[in-house]
Amino acid sequence: MTKVVYDTWQSVMNHERNPLRHIPDLNTRHMVMQVLAWMWCIVFSMYFSSMWMFGITAVAHIFLLGAIAITVATFETAKRKPTFFIKKGYHTPSRSRYMYYKGKRIKYDDNDRGGEHE
């Protein structure tokens, strides 16, 4: 029974297994899934005769599908361009790159990545 539920879920929700896999652009696939999610939100809210239900299910779908899209985009970026997440230079933007001692600025070495634990 678990396998049937899993396979059914995959055949509908997995963009690499459902018929949307034929759309080459991942962003377009995601948009089509969003439109389908909105449609199902409307259908269920009409079934329960409540616009509150529509609001709740629409917001839930936005958050759920948006989170999935951000996760997939992050994973794809990590797979295709792993250096995207490594920035050159100072890694902590919230701290100053310079230190002052007795009114004079002390410049750190350009190769120093900063941080107290590095």
Side-chain angles (χ1 to χ4, degrees):
M1 181 64 180
T2 304
K3 184 171 176 19
V4 172
V5 172
Y6 177 79
D7 289 340
T8 304
W9 173 268
Q10 288 294 321
S11 68
V12 173
M13 299 305 287
N14 188 344
H15 69 91
E16 293 175 350
R17 290 185 61 188
N18 68 21
L20 297 180
R21 70 182 179 273
H22 302 293
I23 300 173
D25 184 31
L26 185 62
N27 292 330
T28 305
R29 256 189 262 170
H30 174 70
M31 185 61 202
V32 171
M33 285 295 285
Q34 283 280 8
V35 170
L36 289 172
W38 278 87
M39 179 198 66
W40 281 106
C41 290
I42 293 168
V43 167
F44 279 113
S45 64
M46 289 173 64
Y47 176 75
F48 289 110
S49 301
S50 171
M51 287 313 289
W52 285 104
M53 185 63 70
F54 169 72
I56 292 169
T57 57
V59 169
H61 276 89
I62 287 171
F63 284 125
L64 179 67
L65 293 175
I68 290 170
I70 290 169
T71 302
V72 168
T74 302
F75 287 172
E76 285 296 315
T77 302
K79 183 172 76 174
R80 295 172 193 239
K81 190 177 178 187
T83 57
F84 175 80
F85 299 101
I86 301 172
K87 301 295 181 196
K88 292 183 181 179
Y90 195 59
H91 290 283
T92 310
S94 62
R95 292 179 47 208
S96 173
R97 187 65 195 128
Y98 301 102
M99 183 173 172
Y100 289 87
Y101 179 71
K102 294 186 179 181
K104 294 182 182 177
R105 186 170 87 177
I106 300 170
K107 185 178 184 305
Y108 294 130
D109 180 22
D110 288 333
N111 294 325
D112 178 24
R113 291 175 41 182
E116 65 257 11
H117 300 291
E118 295 176 15

